[in-house]
Amino acid sequence: MSIQIHKNKCISCGKCRNVCPGNLVYADSEEKAYVKYPRDCWGCTACLKECPVSAIRFYLAEDIGGKGGFLYTSQDKKEYLTWHIINKFGKEETIKINRKESNKY
Ligand code: SF4
Ligand code: SF4
């Protein structure tokens, strides 16, 4: 699994840098985020959940059906987070989560 940050979408908010538990995300000279140590990323997806502009992609490993498949998120009025899952054939599925209820079991 690996993370890719799209520089052209990044608005330099710094949220991904603040939440990465491994301090793997840095800012370049334009304050755009990038993953400095991609091999150390363990795919917690904290950065994806914070990015307000869908600039971060999380590529799925082959052994869980990835091989070109990836995830990203979009946000809706701060309450809802939508996961977009694009499979290796380009087909998209979405899962919408109410953030306030996401930790209820
Ligand atoms: S997925 Fe987790 S560990 Fe990897 S860069 Fe994002 S916040 Fe850091
Ligand atoms: S959270 Fe998204 S927009 Fe904000 S710095 Fe990170 S990649 Fe850029």
Side-chain angles (χ1 to χ4, degrees):
M1 298 179 201
S2 63
I3 293 289
Q4 184 179 31
I5 299 177
H6 290 264
K7 187 176 172 178
N8 57 346
K9 284 189 174 183
C10 176
I11 57 169
S12 311
C13 71
K15 290 183 176 180
C16 56
R17 284 187 278 140
N18 291 337
V19 297
C20 179
N23 294 321
L24 308 176
V25 187
Y26 283 68
D28 66 13
S29 57
E30 299 171 69
E31 291 297 311
K32 306 279 188 177
Y34 71 99
V35 184
K36 188 168 185 179
Y37 306 105
R39 284 187 175 185
D40 292 340
C41 169
W42 61 93
C44 72
T45 72
C47 55
L48 273 87
K49 289 186 272 189
E50 290 302 317
C51 183
V53 292
S54 308
I56 308 176
R57 285 184 177 185
F58 177 81
Y59 284 86
L60 298 167
E62 187 170 354
D63 59 352
I64 58 168
K67 201 177 184 182
F70 60 92
L71 311 173
Y72 67 94
T73 65
S74 58
Q75 299 182 15
D76 179 10
K77 298 177 185 171
K78 292 192 178 177
E79 271 178 73
Y80 292 95
L81 182 75
T82 300
W83 288 92
H84 300 259
I85 304 120
I86 317 297
N87 71 18
K88 60 185 175 185
F89 304 111
K91 187 178 174 209
E92 178 173 345
E93 290 183 43
T94 57
I95 302 171
K96 195 167 187 174
I97 306 287
N98 184 327
R99 285 175 180 265
K100 290 179 182 166
E101 296 178 357
S102 61
N103 290 326
K104 288 183 183 172
Y105 291 96

